[in-house]
């Protein structure tokens, strides 16, 4: 009986000759909550319907009723007067939360004391307060409200709930909709007594509601919010269309933070919020630029096609092979570079030469093994899996060359995060997961190859394009990438800048990605070394401050 306290139906006695039919009341099951370890990001609150028969309100007490009811519920008086003009016997006055419902129960006693309600045939009817749904032609309406206590935090990855459709829309709300959604409404059926209450006897039927299950996320909400603040500042500073960042536990694939500068408040969505509802981390495809070079180099190492210490001609930063109509250029001119220093100083020229050593099959299958042109498996809906060159296209030097340094292919942010994680996890791929659910593992590289790549990526921080990522006492490594953005098949002075790398100590290993989309900042601020790398460092410092690393 305590469990079904929500089935309150307040009324006064019927006439003595009132017929006692069977009645059925359906209690709405509610949607499950989405929470982290310590915080609830989305929750459902029961909504109580308040009904009245306007004919029962004494005409000389109507003003008192409206004044008090407006005070207790916050409903505009004009709205109440309009509803009370109805000739229906049952008018919905309001839908209220639990706190307001309890206040209305108290208010009804006051109204009864002042005889606000008329008496007909010995019956004085007040208003009914219900947390139930009356069955009408087998149609059931759920009575709960979806609330997002932290506003735009963790959007657009959290998503929203569409009340009119009874389902989650985008993000975690949609991906786990089958788990979160109410499973079965509760029902009480039986004969009612003269007061309108169901008689609980052998003829009554009680079915308990089955609410949706809760989902627990791996997200560290404090880290999430602090990174959101960083990204908001960075978007403005670098004149970017959007900034994305993510922190992943390299061993388990748990996503501790995944952040966009473009967010919205699901409690109050406006027209201008619509573009921000797109989850760019899985739905925006772009040419990644130089962050693809370590992937190419790892494939070469895995097939024994490169010695990191061999020296190659870098042509003073300008090379035009016979199979190209235009020059391949490097930002920093070198006459000679070792193979590993081609990564350290991000040489397109040397990486092009090395990529020619791979057969089409080796290159194509190597990219596929890293997860490119495949779904990442992250628990977000509508992912676009991108495009890589076909095995046939990779027979041509031009396509091998451009693919090697990240042009002519399309990837998403999470794919790159997942691919880089292989280097920090002894060559084992782990599927990134936002929710605390089981993940999957697969070996992509030999441990020896992964550790050699980690050594070279560390060198990039110590001597190369990512010196600003160095933090005393924490192992940081990674690769920068700055790529021109193609607009109508023409590369404009707009850039996507990224840094994908790692932050490790004796007990923790994290893979961290940062990407700026459509940077319009002036030279040299659009380079990843000037934008993505400093942001990476700030994120690691926050993690250290939150005791997530550096112990």
């Amino acid at each position: 009986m305590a469990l079904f306290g929500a089935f309150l139906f307040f009324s006064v006695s019927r006439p003595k000759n009132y017929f006692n039919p069977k009645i059925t009341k359906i209690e709405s099951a509610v949607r499950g909550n989405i929470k982290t370890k310590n915080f609830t990001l989305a929750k459902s609150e029961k909504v109580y319907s308040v009904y009245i028969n306007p004919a029962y309100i004494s005409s000389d007490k109507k003003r008192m009723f409206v004044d008090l009811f407006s005070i207790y519920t916050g409903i505009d008086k004009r709205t109440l007067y309009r509803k009370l003009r109805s000739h229906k016997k049952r008018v919905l006055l309001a839908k209220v939360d639990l706190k307001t419902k309890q206040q209305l129960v108290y208010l009804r006693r006051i109204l009864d004391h002042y005889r606000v309600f008329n008496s007909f045939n010995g019956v004085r009817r007040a208003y009914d307060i219900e947390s139930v749904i009356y069955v009408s032609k087998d149609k059931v309406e759920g009575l709960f409200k979806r609330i997002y206590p932290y506003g735009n935090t963790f959007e657009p990855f959290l998503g929203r709930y569409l009340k009119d459709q009874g389902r989650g829309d985008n993000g975690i709300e949609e991906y786990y909709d089958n788990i979160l959604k109410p499973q079965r409404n509760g029902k009480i059926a039986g004969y009612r007594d003269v007061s309108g209450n169901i008689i609980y006897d052998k003829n009554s039927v009680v079915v308990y509601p089955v609410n949706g299950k809760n989902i627990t996320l791996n997200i560290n909400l404090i880290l999430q919010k602090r990174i959101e603040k960083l990204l908001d500042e960075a978007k403005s500073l670098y004149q970017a269309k959007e900034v994305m960042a993510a922190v992943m536990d390299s061993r388990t694939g748990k996503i501790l933070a995944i952040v966009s500068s473009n967010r919205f408040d699901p409690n109050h969505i406006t027209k201008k919020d619509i573009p921000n509802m797109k989850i760019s981390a899985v739905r925006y495809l772009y040419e990644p630029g130089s962050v693809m070079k370590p992937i190419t180099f790892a494939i070469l190492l895995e097939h024994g096609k490169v010695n990191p210490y061999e020296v190659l001609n870098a042509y003073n930063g300008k090379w035009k092979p016979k199979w190209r109509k235009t020059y391949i250029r490097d930002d920093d001119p070198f006459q000679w570079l070792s193979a590993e220093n081609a990564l350290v100083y991000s040489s397109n020229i040397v990486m092009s030469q090395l990529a020619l050593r791979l057969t089409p099959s080796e290159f194509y299958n190597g990219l596929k093994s890293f997860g490119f042109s495949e779904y990442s498996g992250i628990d977000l809906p509508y992912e676009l899996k991108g495009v890589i060159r076909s095995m046939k296209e990779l027979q041509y030097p031009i396509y091998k060359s451009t693919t090697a340094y990240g042009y002519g292919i399309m990837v998403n942010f999470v794919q790159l995060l997942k691919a880089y994680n292989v280097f920090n996890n002894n060559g084992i791929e782990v599927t990134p997961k936002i929710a605390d659910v089981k993940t999957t593992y697969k070996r992509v590289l030999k441990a020896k190859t992964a550790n050699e790549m980690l050594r070279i990526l560390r060198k990039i921080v110590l001597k190369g394009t990512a010196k600003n990522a160095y933090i005393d006492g924490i192992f940081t490594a990674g690769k920068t990438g700055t790529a021109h953005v193609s607009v109508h098949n023409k590369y404009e002075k707009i850039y996507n800048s990224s840094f994908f790398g790692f932050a490790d100590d004796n007990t923790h290993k994290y893979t961290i990605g940062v990407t700026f989309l459509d940077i319009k900042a002036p030279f040299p601020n659009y380079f990843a070394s000037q934008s993505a790398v400093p942001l990476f460092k700030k994120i690691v410092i926050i993690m250290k401050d939150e005791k997530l690393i550096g112990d």
Side-chain angles (χ1 to χ4, degrees):
M1 291 297 292
L3 178 63
F4 278 88
F7 285 109
L8 296 174
F9 184 86
F10 296 93
S11 62
V12 296
S13 298
R14 297 329 193 250
K16 293 181 179 179
N17 61 351
Y18 188 78
F19 177 66
N20 288 358
K22 271 189 173 181
I23 62 170
T24 299
K25 295 181 181 181
I26 305 295
E27 182 184 12
S28 174
V30 299
R31 189 172 180 83
N33 296 339
I34 301 174
K35 59 183 184 177
T36 67
K37 184 178 179 180
N38 298 313
F39 303 94
T40 299
L41 299 178
K43 62 181 181 179
S44 297
E45 286 191 356
K46 181 77 72 174
V47 174
Y48 297 82
S49 295
V50 182
Y51 294 90
I52 196 167
N53 183 341
Y56 278 86
I57 300 177
S58 177
S59 59
D60 62 333
K61 301 291 179 65
K62 181 177 290 188
R63 181 176 178 182
M64 176 190 289
F65 174 84
V66 170
D67 287 346
L68 290 173
F69 200 89
S70 177
I71 291 171
Y72 275 73
T73 63
I75 299 175
D76 181 71
K77 293 180 184 180
R78 286 177 296 181
T79 301
L80 291 174
Y81 277 118
R82 177 177 54 80
K83 289 185 176 184
L84 293 175
R85 286 196 293 269
S86 172
H87 297 291
K88 294 180 180 179
K89 293 183 178 180
R90 186 176 175 81
V91 176
L92 176 63
L93 278 187
K95 289 185 177 182
V96 299
D97 59 18
L98 177 61
K99 182 178 179 181
T100 305
K101 172 223 156 182
Q102 292 170 337
Q103 292 172 339
L104 289 178
V105 172
Y106 174 73
L107 173 62
R108 196 193 64 182
R109 297 194 190 105
I110 297 174
L111 297 174
D112 284 343
H113 176 75
Y114 286 99
R115 297 187 174 274
V116 171
F117 301 103
N118 295 319
S119 176
F120 293 98
N121 297 321
V123 177
R124 180 175 285 111
R125 283 294 306 269
Y127 46 75
D128 302 332
I129 305 175
E130 308 163 354
S131 64
V132 304
I133 311 148
Y134 279 78
V135 178
S136 174
K137 298 181 180 179
D138 297 323
K139 183 178 179 182
V140 176
E141 175 193 1
L143 290 177
F144 66 86
K145 180 181 180 182
R146 198 66 167 165
I147 297 173
Y148 300 90
Y150 298 97
N152 69 6
T153 299
F154 191 53
E155 292 294 359
F157 307 97
L158 181 57
R160 61 173 179 159
Y161 175 70
L162 297 177
K163 181 180 178 181
D164 58 336
Q165 298 181 34
R167 65 174 181 86
D169 178 48
N170 214 357
I172 295 296
E173 285 276 27
E174 180 166 351
Y175 191 90
Y176 289 107
D177 187 61
N178 285 336
I179 296 174
L180 291 164
K181 70 181 181 182
Q183 300 301 304
R184 186 188 67 205
N185 288 322
K187 179 176 76 172
I188 300 178
Y191 289 101
R192 61 182 173 187
D193 60 22
V194 293
S195 296
N197 300 311
I198 291 178
I199 302 170
Y200 292 95
D201 58 18
K202 65 180 181 179
N203 297 311
S204 61
V205 176
V206 177
V207 177
Y208 291 86
V210 179
N211 297 327
K213 295 180 181 178
N214 296 336
I215 293 290
T216 302
L217 307 183
N218 297 315
I219 298 297
N220 182 310
L221 195 63
I222 296 176
L223 177 65
Q224 176 82 19
K225 287 188 70 69
R226 292 187 67 177
I227 296 177
E228 286 177 353
K229 184 178 179 181
L230 280 182
L231 266 57
D232 292 345
E233 295 168 353
K235 177 183 177 180
S236 175
L237 180 62
Y238 292 95
Q239 303 170 49
K241 180 180 179 181
E242 184 175 2
V243 188
M244 298 179 289
V247 178
M248 176 169 125
D249 186 304
S250 301
R251 296 188 182 100
T252 66
K254 292 182 177 181
I255 298 290
L256 276 67
I258 184 164
V259 185
S260 169
S261 61
N262 297 3
R263 302 185 300 279
F264 66 93
D265 183 350
N267 296 303
H268 309 286
I269 296 176
T270 63
K271 188 175 181 180
K272 69 178 183 178
D273 291 322
I274 293 175
N276 295 347
M277 298 173 74
K278 173 183 175 181
I279 303 178
S280 298
V282 292
R283 290 192 54 77
Y284 180 85
L285 299 177
Y286 60 102
E287 294 176 300
S290 293
V291 289
M292 282 301 294
K293 289 172 182 173
I295 307 297
T296 303
F297 202 90
I299 297 170
L300 286 158
L301 277 175
E302 192 76 352
H303 290 282
K305 296 290 182 77
V306 65
N307 180 337
Y309 304 106
E310 65 177 291
V311 177
L312 293 91
N313 195 338
Y315 296 96
N316 283 318
K318 186 178 179 181
W319 179 47
K320 184 179 177 300
K322 61 183 179 180
W323 39 266
R324 270 190 71 117
K325 295 180 180 180
T326 58
Y327 284 94
I328 301 174
R329 299 177 184 273
D330 288 337
D331 293 322
D332 298 313
F334 290 91
Q335 182 61 56
W336 302 93
L337 278 174
S338 67
E340 70 174 41
N341 280 344
L343 287 180
V344 174
Y345 300 107
S346 203
S347 171
N348 297 333
I349 292 171
V350 174
M351 285 306 304
S352 294
Q353 296 175 63
L354 292 173
L356 298 181
R357 301 177 182 180
L358 292 169
T359 67
S361 176
E362 289 170 341
F363 207 175
Y364 179 82
N365 290 325
L367 293 172
K368 294 283 281 187
S369 70
F370 270 99
F372 296 107
S373 76
E374 304 284 350
Y375 295 116
S376 69
I378 193 170
D379 37 358
L380 290 170
Y382 308 120
E383 179 176 6
L384 299 178
K385 60 183 181 179
V387 180
I388 60 174
R389 295 292 185 183
S390 67
M391 205 176 298
K392 183 177 180 180
E393 288 175 313
L394 289 172
Q395 294 175 356
Y396 298 95
I398 182 70
Y399 295 132
K400 281 185 182 178
S401 168
T402 53
T403 297
Y405 54 85
Y407 282 88
I409 65 171
M410 303 296 284
V411 305
N412 70 49
F413 175 85
V414 173
Q415 285 176 329
L416 283 168
L417 186 75
K418 180 182 178 182
Y420 264 73
N421 193 71
V422 171
F423 302 139
N424 205 35
N425 196 33
N426 293 309
I428 297 173
E429 171 195 281
V430 56
T431 302
K433 292 295 181 183
I434 296 172
D436 187 13
V437 295
K438 186 178 180 181
T439 190
T440 57
Y441 300 85
K442 182 186 77 174
R443 180 163 291 282
V444 173
L445 298 174
K446 295 188 286 287
K448 181 181 179 181
T449 303
N451 290 331
E452 180 68 358
M453 288 303 305
L454 204 57
R455 179 188 68 81
I456 297 172
L457 293 171
R458 172 63 171 172
K459 189 175 179 181
I460 294 173
V461 170
L462 296 176
K463 297 183 177 181
T465 57
K467 290 179 182 178
N468 285 336
Y470 179 82
I471 299 174
D472 189 38
I474 297 175
F475 177 92
T476 53
K479 180 71 183 77
T480 54
T482 306
H484 276 277
V485 175
S486 176
V487 180
H488 304 303
N489 295 318
K490 181 182 179 182
Y491 289 107
E492 302 288 349
K493 290 183 179 180
I494 306 172
Y495 304 87
N496 292 333
S497 298
S498 301
F499 182 78
F500 285 85
F502 320 106
D504 303 343
D505 62 15
N506 292 331
T507 56
H508 305 95
K509 285 188 172 185
Y510 298 107
T511 301
I512 302 170
V514 174
T515 294
F516 286 75
L517 298 180
D518 292 9
I519 284 187
K520 296 180 180 178
F523 175 90
N525 292 339
Y526 57 78
F527 283 113
S529 60
Q530 304 299 314
S531 54
V533 171
L535 187 54
F536 167 91
K537 184 174 183 176
K538 289 178 181 179
I539 290 172
V540 178
I541 290 172
I542 288 175
M543 293 171 65
K544 187 176 181 180
D545 186 45
E546 295 296 332
K547 313 272 187 230
L548 296 171
I549 196 170
D551 56 349

